[in-house]
Amino acid sequence: MPELPEVETVKRGLNQVSRNQTIQGGEVLLKRTLAHPVSIDDFITGFSGKAIAGWYRRGKYLLAEFSTPLNPNSDNSQNPEFSDLQTFSDGGLAVHLRMTGQLLWVSQDEPLSKHTRVRLFFPNRQELRFVDQRTFGQMWGIPPNVEISKIVTGLQKLGPEPFSEEFSIKYLTTQFQHRQRSIKTALLDQKLVAGVGNIYADETLFLSGIPPMTRCAELTPTQIETLHAQLVQVLKTAIDAGGTTVRNFLNVAGVNGNYAGQAWVYNRAGQPCRVCQTPIERLKLAGRSAHFCPRCQKTSN
């Protein structure tokens, strides 16, 4: 599943190619992709003739704000956090890529993939295609002046953004107190921190020297401070690399992310640690895999 760096990469690409472009129409090829409204006609009517004022990211969600082409009343040039926004005055669009979703900016002459689910048409015969092999991805049409989180209800459950002031050492310390679940499981909880998944949780824990099975309540103040700093840095590094492509992730131009080639532990079970040469191990925690170096992340107990 695309995580924060991949979704951020897509967001930035979409702002480059589609911002201020007017949507001229669309086509829905798989109806169950629509989470709201469920009517294909209502979905297409909601965006036809609207321009893209800008794209935002909240956790793993992508959100497009619309504006009227003759009177754009939205400006995201300062790139505010989406959490600062409650409504879109001209409506908008939300997308969750789930496991295999891709948003690709292509020519309308490009042959359709059999996994194409939704098409949005733009000037100069360009289009934005939502391609999704496993069909778990969803799209929401957001009506004007309606609270966004009432339409995209998953937004209500998200914790703070990793780059926000709210995501502080003090916040993590409070959240970890008395928690007996593993730190790896905690980092995957979107209520704790938005956007982090398997890849960057593994990478963060390696760079922090913390075994993934460590209970949250056992973390020392120094470990929590290190964890906070490393998580922010890992995500920034991955964004700079254009994200990670393990199976399906592509940016809007159809290009793979480059972070996987420099990953410390993720998806490297059996391979030598890049620091100490000890083979990387893999285990299951709450049904999810965790990759770690048994030497670099050795418990102090």
Side-chain angles (χ1 to χ4, degrees):
M1 176 188 294
E3 300 179 29
L4 185 154
E6 290 75 51
V7 180
E8 179 69 19
T9 297
V10 173
K11 183 208 79 174
R12 295 182 180 188
L14 289 171
N15 273 325
Q16 289 179 351
V17 297
S18 69
R19 191 173 174 193
N20 297 323
Q21 298 286 325
T22 301
I23 309 175
Q24 298 178 329
E27 181 181 18
V28 176
L29 302 176
L30 183 68
K31 185 177 180 181
R32 70 170 179 269
T33 300
L34 303 185
H36 183 275
V38 294
S39 163
I40 292 177
D41 289 342
D42 290 346
F43 179 74
I44 294 176
T45 300
F47 60 69
S48 295
K50 298 290 184 69
I52 301 290
W55 288 87
Y56 302 87
R57 179 195 55 76
R58 178 71 171 103
K60 300 176 186 179
Y61 290 86
L62 286 160
L63 300 111
E65 181 179 10
F66 295 156
S67 68
T68 55
L70 297 178
N71 183 28
N73 60 0
S74 300
D75 180 11
N76 73 342
S77 59
Q78 301 302 312
N79 199 25
E81 292 291 336
F82 174 74
S83 55
D84 295 337
L85 303 174
Q86 301 299 318
T87 64
F88 291 145
S89 59
D90 282 311
L93 181 74
V95 185
H96 199 303
L97 302 176
R98 302 297 179 193
M99 293 182 67
T100 59
Q102 301 167 346
L103 285 172
L104 304 176
W105 183 259
V106 297
S107 166
Q108 291 180 25
D109 298 325
E110 182 78 16
L112 281 180
S113 159
K114 66 179 181 180
H115 302 303
T116 302
R117 310 306 179 191
V118 178
R119 307 170 70 193
L120 305 183
F121 303 135
F122 290 84
N124 301 315
R125 294 193 58 76
Q126 295 296 118
E127 70 173 275
L128 183 63
R129 290 183 186 171
F130 184 42
V131 179
D132 185 15
Q133 180 178 350
R134 297 287 297 275
T135 72
F136 295 135
Q138 290 185 299
M139 301 184 77
W140 295 257
I142 303 169
N145 298 312
V146 173
E147 188 172 340
I148 299 166
S149 62
K150 288 185 177 180
I151 302 298
V152 189
T153 56
L155 295 172
Q156 301 172 12
K157 304 174 183 178
L158 295 182
E161 290 287 320
F163 305 131
S164 68
E165 292 184 2
E166 184 182 355
F167 186 72
S168 64
I169 296 170
K170 181 179 180 180
Y171 167 80
L172 282 181
T173 301
T174 301
Q175 292 297 312
F176 290 159
Q177 286 179 345
H178 313 302
R179 296 287 181 90
Q180 296 303 310
R181 62 180 173 174
S182 72
I183 181 58
K184 170 61 187 287
T185 303
L187 289 176
L188 300 182
D189 185 351
Q190 299 302 293
K191 295 178 182 178
L192 174 73
V193 54
V196 178
N198 236 15
I199 299 172
Y200 304 109
D202 280 353
E203 296 290 282
T204 296
L205 291 172
F206 172 80
L207 291 170
S208 302
I210 300 172
M213 67 289 291
T214 304
R215 296 183 186 276
C216 293
E218 297 173 351
L219 294 173
T220 67
T222 298
Q223 286 178 314
I224 294 174
E225 184 175 355
T226 301
L227 178 72
H228 178 272
Q230 292 295 349
L231 177 58
V232 172
Q233 186 56 53
V234 162
L235 294 174
K236 288 181 177 179
T237 300
I239 290 170
D240 289 342
T244 300
T245 297
V246 177
R247 294 183 181 87
N248 300 94
F249 173 70
L250 299 173
N251 67 17
V252 295
V255 177
N256 289 343
N258 295 315
Y259 182 83
Q262 63 191 70
W264 293 96
V265 291
Y266 180 76
N267 208 29
R268 297 190 65 242
Q271 299 181 44
C273 172
R274 299 188 191 277
V275 175
C276 71
Q277 306 306 307
T278 301
I280 299 300
E281 295 185 4
R282 177 180 179 271
L283 57 77
K284 285 278 190 177
L285 288 172
R288 304 293 297 275
S289 64
H291 302 81
F292 68 104
C293 173
R295 183 173 181 181
C296 293
Q297 296 169 262
K298 186 176 180 179
T299 180
S300 59
N301 295 334

